[in-house]
């Protein structure tokens, strides 16, 4: 684990941290966590190893998790932060301590706030508690400073207490829990389904955005598609009739959950390729009626290839594709690009964004990347996604080529593709994979970059076959 704040680095514990903790024990800094620490030099190494093992298990709903708090500039070990599971209360609580010589400098609040944010973004737990002795004024003032709310004060005996003492009980709700109150909903039964989305009460989906313009663009698209009777999630207004909620520099909106789920076994749907072609075309027809929307992102695959994609691959020394081969591919795209129809597209078409219920298509989701671009981008992107999932979907090369043929046939039942679009499809597929290779290169993910280049080569060596299947 690694968290960086303005002054601190919160990281996984290391065996070399033992001596610093032993020294802290002498000033009583560890008493609230461990109780009597006079013999901690005998067991602190074992505790660190146990904490490292529990970090690998990563179950805050069962055990404690502890991390080192260090000063960014000097690397000095200041204390620890993490959480512990309270069996008697069936809840996870915040735990932290700072060595005596580093107190009264705001380090505890900075570390605890950063860990709380990390906790709620990484775990499907929507409340965190803190139990602090009433006499420990500095500690409970710290917890209040970062937003914990006092829920009660009563006598309590913690695990390291000899007898009951007066404790202050605090609770901190997750941003998701706070957001849901604007719709009159609780976090009970709320489950994360994507990094930025949660299912709520099996009836709704809550999404969070860091970019307000992206959220507003998505809401506009959802409204227009809904008016066109396209199956998308219906926006649920807040109690004060707003479309979204702004909270802690993030933006949330709620929609009704569509029925169905994504397809994971394509062999169970014999006409799926034809159906998917029609589904993509029907979305494109509806998207054409959304063209007048303000704020839609205009993008160009050709501009990307001539811009950041080239710079990224050049920056890596053309180690995955030669410069000459890259320029040849981009030149092929440039020769045809002006003749390729441009319109609003989904831009992220894969089976995860199409829902099916009882074998029938039930809805489209996730318009976060929607943009104006060449319309065959969506078809090519979808077909490339099947190659990425080739092993999971258990499809052969012949299966894929047949799927490609039928997707195009299904699409053309609704919208005709031009001869130029069909001719350009292999080249567009190649450029999309080079785009992914560049993206993963920038993201320092060499494995995925290599996989993208392999699919690029797969398409490159089968240009004629692809052309024959889609004529």
């Amino acid at each position: 684990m690694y968290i960086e704040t303005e002054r601190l680095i919160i990281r996984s514990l290391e065996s070399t941290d033992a001596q610093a903790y032993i020294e802290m024990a002498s000033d009583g800094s560890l008493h609230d966590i461990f109780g009597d620490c006079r013999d901690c030099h005998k067991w602190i190494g074992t505790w660190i190893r146990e904490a490292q093992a529990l970090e690998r298990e990563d179950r805050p709903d069962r055990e404690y998790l502890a991390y080192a708090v260090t000063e960014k500039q000097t690397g000095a070990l200041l204390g620890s932060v993490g959480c512990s599971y309270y069996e008697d209360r069936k809840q996870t609580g915040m735990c932290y301590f700072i060595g005596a010589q580093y107190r009264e400098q705001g380090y505890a609040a900075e570390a605890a706030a950063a860990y709380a944010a990390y906790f709620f973004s990484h775990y499907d737990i929507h409340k965190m508690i803190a139990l602090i002795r009433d006499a420990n004024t500095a500690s409970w003032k710290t917890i209040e400073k970062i937003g914990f709310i006092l829920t009660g004060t009563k006598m309590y005996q913690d695990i390291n207490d000899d007898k009951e003492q007066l404790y202050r009980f605090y609770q901190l709700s997750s941003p998701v829990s706070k957001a849901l109150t604007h719709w009159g909903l609780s976090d009970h039964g709320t489950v994360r389904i994507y990094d930025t989305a949660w299912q709520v009460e099996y009836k709704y989906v809550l999404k969070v955005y860091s970019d307000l313009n992206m959220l507003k663009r998505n809401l506009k698209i959802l409204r227009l598609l809904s008016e066109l009777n396209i199956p998308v999630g219906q926006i649920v207004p807040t109690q004060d009739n707003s479309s979204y909620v702004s909270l802690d520099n993030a933006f949330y909106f709620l929609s009704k959950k569509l029925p169905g789920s994504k397809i994971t076994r394509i062999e169970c749907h014999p006409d799926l390729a034809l159906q998917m072609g029609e589904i993509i075309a029907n979305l494109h027809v509806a998207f054409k009626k959304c063209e007048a929307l303000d704020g839609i992102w205009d993008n160009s695959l050709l501009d990307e290839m001539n811009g950041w994609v080239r710079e990224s691959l050049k920056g890596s020394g053309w180690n995955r594709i030669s410069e000459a081969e890259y320029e040849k591919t981009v030149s092929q795209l440039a020769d045809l690009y002006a003749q390729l129809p441009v319109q609003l597209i989904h831009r992220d078409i894969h089976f995860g964004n199409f829902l099916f219920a009882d074998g029938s298509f039930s809805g489209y989701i996730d318009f976060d990347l929607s943009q104006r671009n060449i319309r065959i981008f969506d078809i090519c992107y979808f077909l490339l996604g099947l190659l990425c999932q080739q092993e999971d979907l258990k499809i052969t090369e012949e299966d894929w080529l047949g799927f490609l043929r039928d997707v195009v046939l299904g699409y053309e039942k609704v919208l005709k593709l031009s001869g130029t679009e069909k001719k350009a499809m292999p080249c567009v597929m190649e450029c999309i994979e080079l785009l992914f290779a560049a993206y993963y290169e920038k993201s320092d993910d060499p494995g995925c970059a290599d996989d993208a280049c392999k699919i690029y080569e797969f398409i490159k060596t089968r240009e004629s076959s692809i052309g024959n299947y889609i004529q």
Side-chain angles (χ1 to χ4, degrees):
M1 193 265 257
Y2 183 92
I3 304 171
E4 190 170 332
T5 70
E6 183 180 353
R7 299 181 297 167
L8 306 174
I9 290 175
I10 302 169
R11 58 162 173 80
S12 302
L13 290 168
E14 300 171 358
S15 58
T16 52
D17 295 331
Q19 186 56 42
Y21 285 135
I22 291 170
E23 293 171 5
M24 285 183 200
S26 65
D27 62 27
S29 299
L30 276 63
H31 183 271
D32 282 355
I33 304 294
F34 298 114
D36 189 343
C37 291
R38 285 173 294 185
D39 294 330
C40 80
H41 61 282
K42 298 179 180 178
W43 51 259
I44 196 71
T46 302
W47 174 78
I48 289 176
R49 287 190 295 274
E50 182 181 81
Q52 290 170 330
L54 290 174
E55 181 186 357
R56 289 191 291 271
E57 292 179 19
D58 203 20
R59 291 300 304 269
D61 57 341
R62 291 185 181 180
E63 280 285 357
Y64 71 84
L65 295 172
Y67 305 98
V69 177
T70 67
E71 192 174 39
K72 187 187 293 186
Q73 286 190 334
T74 65
L77 186 64
L78 310 181
S80 177
V81 68
C83 62
S84 182
Y85 187 68
Y86 287 79
E87 287 283 355
D88 57 340
R89 306 189 67 81
K90 305 300 179 187
Q91 288 180 288
T92 302
M94 169 79 75
C95 296
Y96 62 90
F97 66 82
I98 296 293
Q101 64 177 312
Y102 301 112
R103 292 174 188 168
E104 298 183 1
Q105 299 179 61
Y107 289 135
E110 190 172 336
Y115 181 71
Y118 171 90
F119 181 90
F120 288 131
S121 67
H122 281 73
Y123 304 112
D124 217 7
I125 300 172
H126 299 290
K127 286 184 174 60
M128 176 181 270
I129 62 171
L131 277 58
I132 303 174
R133 288 192 296 28
D134 185 65
N136 192 347
T137 306
S139 188
W140 59 255
K141 282 189 173 181
T142 292
I143 218 75
E144 288 182 354
K145 183 178 180 180
I146 66 169
F148 276 77
I149 304 298
L150 181 67
T151 59
T153 304
K154 66 176 183 178
M155 299 300 290
Y156 179 76
Q157 185 173 356
D158 203 358
I159 190 169
N160 292 315
D161 293 337
D162 296 328
K163 60 182 180 180
E164 283 191 342
Q165 300 184 54
L166 186 62
Y167 269 80
R168 298 169 72 94
F169 290 71
Y170 289 90
Q171 180 172 284
L172 182 67
S173 296
S174 71
V176 166
S177 182
K178 293 175 184 176
L180 286 173
T181 62
H182 291 267
W183 284 274
L185 299 170
S186 75
D187 56 36
H188 182 69
T190 298
V191 178
R192 189 191 298 268
I193 50 177
Y194 299 108
D195 288 344
T196 58
W198 294 262
Q199 178 180 279
V200 182
E201 296 182 357
Y202 300 100
K203 297 188 294 186
Y204 308 103
V205 173
L206 181 75
K207 286 199 69 174
V208 62
Y209 291 78
S210 58
D211 184 334
L212 180 57
N213 289 328
M214 179 184 286
L215 167 62
K216 288 182 175 179
R217 183 173 66 240
N218 198 348
L219 292 175
K220 288 177 181 178
I221 291 173
L222 286 174
R223 287 193 191 98
L224 269 179
L225 291 177
S226 181
E227 290 171 7
L228 295 168
N229 294 317
I230 299 297
V232 295
Q234 301 291 308
I235 300 167
V236 179
T238 64
Q239 290 179 316
D240 62 2
N241 208 32
S242 298
S243 298
Y244 65 91
V245 169
S246 175
L247 187 67
D248 299 330
N249 298 315
F251 309 94
Y252 297 82
F253 89 93
L254 191 74
S255 63
K256 290 183 180 179
K257 183 179 181 295
L258 290 165
S261 58
K262 67 180 182 179
I263 283 180
T264 56
R265 297 182 60 190
I266 63 176
E267 72 274 13
C268 298
H269 305 269
D271 297 324
L272 183 60
L274 284 166
Q275 191 178 7
M276 284 303 302
E278 292 184 52
I279 290 167
I280 296 170
N282 287 331
L283 182 60
H284 283 178
V285 170
F287 270 154
K288 285 292 287 182
K289 299 175 183 178
C290 301
E291 288 283 293
L293 278 176
D294 293 331
I296 296 300
W297 177 24
D298 279 295
N299 198 19
S300 162
L301 177 61
L302 182 60
D303 287 349
E304 289 189 283
M305 298 306 294
N306 283 324
W308 74 268
V309 176
R310 175 186 278 116
E311 290 304 310
S312 178
L313 296 174
K314 178 182 178 181
S316 64
W318 302 106
N319 63 337
R320 288 186 170 82
I321 180 175
S322 71
E323 183 176 7
E325 188 176 359
Y326 181 86
E327 297 299 346
K328 182 180 178 181
T329 300
V330 176
S331 178
Q332 289 173 340
L333 179 67
D335 288 344
L336 300 170
Y337 203 80
Q339 303 172 57
L340 301 177
V342 173
Q343 69 158 84
L344 182 61
I345 65 170
H346 188 282
R347 178 49 178 80
D348 193 21
I349 286 189
H350 54 80
F351 277 132
N353 283 334
F354 294 81
L355 301 179
F356 289 78
D358 299 323
S360 298
F361 175 65
S362 58
Y364 305 90
I365 62 174
D366 194 357
F367 298 94
D368 292 350
L369 299 181
S370 293
Q371 58 186 243
R372 288 191 183 93
N373 210 324
I374 52 174
R375 68 174 179 176
I376 59 170
F377 188 105
D378 273 350
I379 304 172
C380 294
Y381 187 100
F382 172 67
L383 291 165
L384 290 168
L386 298 180
L387 289 177
C388 293
Q389 297 177 279
Q390 196 169 3
E391 291 185 10
D392 293 337
L393 296 175
K394 297 180 175 62
I395 58 174
T396 65
E397 177 181 334
E398 185 177 353
D399 292 333
W400 183 80
L401 288 168
F403 210 93
L404 177 150
R405 176 197 62 226
D406 290 345
V407 166
V408 170
L409 286 172
Y411 188 94
E412 292 203 295
K413 286 184 177 182
V414 180
L415 286 173
K416 285 295 180 184
L417 294 168
S418 70
T420 304
E421 285 181 293
K422 292 180 180 179
K423 181 180 178 181
M425 284 180 69
C427 180
V428 170
M429 290 184 192
E430 291 161 16
C431 288
I432 290 172
E433 288 306 320
L434 292 176
L435 183 152
F436 272 113
Y439 171 80
Y440 287 121
E441 188 79 55
K442 289 178 66 175
S443 304
D444 195 26
D445 190 340
C448 286
D450 287 341
D451 289 342
C453 286
K454 288 175 185 176
I455 295 177
Y456 166 84
E457 291 295 339
F458 176 92
I459 301 297
K460 194 76 177 172
T461 56
R462 290 160 180 82
E463 288 180 352
S464 295
S465 297
I466 291 170
N468 292 333
Y469 267 80
I470 61 178
Q471 292 305 319

